Amino acid sequence: MKSEYIDRPAIVAEVTAAFYRYEQALISNDTVVLDELFWHDDRTVRLGAGENLYGIEEIRAFRAARPSAGLDRQLQNTVIITFGEDFAVCSTEFTREGTEKIGRQQQTWVRLPCGWRIVAAQVSLMQ
């Protein structure tokens, strides 16, 4: 039985829009939007496929140094679940042309006074 606080349609729609806005910014290397959508705090964490980033400054430095080519990807098995009006988890798998590895991404989103922001993210690759 679903709780009345889980997956409220209006909240799911808001988070889904933010998630796909992030995805578009990621594949187009729009670092302004990518930066906007992460919480600007030293406690923000992004555990990547090859890097561990602690705090918004490390995340910004990673984005600035990352190559902008080959970022296109196809998403699959995307699951967005919301809890109440201010908390969500977005999970997805992705593939990229030229590799058989399957990527996995999970983000924790929180509604802050400035809007929906990623407060924690993890990216990994499977063979």
Side-chain angles (χ1 to χ4, degrees), residues 4 12 17 32 37 44 59 64 67 73 78 84 97 99 105 108 116 118 121:
E4 63 190 61
V12 171
V32 172
L37 293 176
T44 304
I59 295 167
R73 62 190 197 165
T78 301
E97 194 171 310
T99 180
Q105 172 184 293
T108 303
W116 285 100
I118 300 165

Side-chain angles (χ1 to χ4, degrees), residues 40-122:
H40 294 181
D41 194 273
D42 290 339
R43 294 168 287 182
T44 304
V45 176
R46 182 187 176 280
L47 304 176
E51 67 286 331
N52 295 333
L53 307 172
Y54 296 93
I56 190 62
E57 295 306 325
E58 287 186 11
I59 295 167
R60 285 176 175 149
F62 169 78
R63 293 276 185 229
R66 181 180 72 150
S68 61
L71 298 175
D72 284 338
R73 62 190 197 165
Q74 292 71 47
L75 301 184
Q76 59 198 34
N77 298 321
T78 301
V79 176
I80 296 173
I81 184 168
T82 65
F83 301 89
E85 296 184 356
D86 301 318
F87 184 82
V89 176
C90 300
S91 306
T92 196
E93 296 176 2
F94 61 89
T95 56
R96 287 198 163 101
E97 194 171 310
T99 180
E100 293 188 23
K101 291 182 180 178
I102 297 173
R104 300 175 291 182
Q105 172 184 293
Q106 194 163 54
Q107 301 166 330
T108 303
W109 289 76
V110 174
R111 184 199 310 265
L112 299 170
C114 57
W116 285 100
R117 297 297 183 262
I118 300 165
V119 298
Q122 184 165 352

Side-chain angles (χ1 to χ4, degrees), residues 21-31 34 66 68 71-72:
R21 183 170 180 237
Y22 176 88
E23 181 64 22
Q24 182 57 45
L26 183 69
I27 64 173
S28 64
N29 201 37
D30 186 339
T31 56
L34 293 171
R66 181 180 72 150
S68 61
L71 298 175
D72 284 338

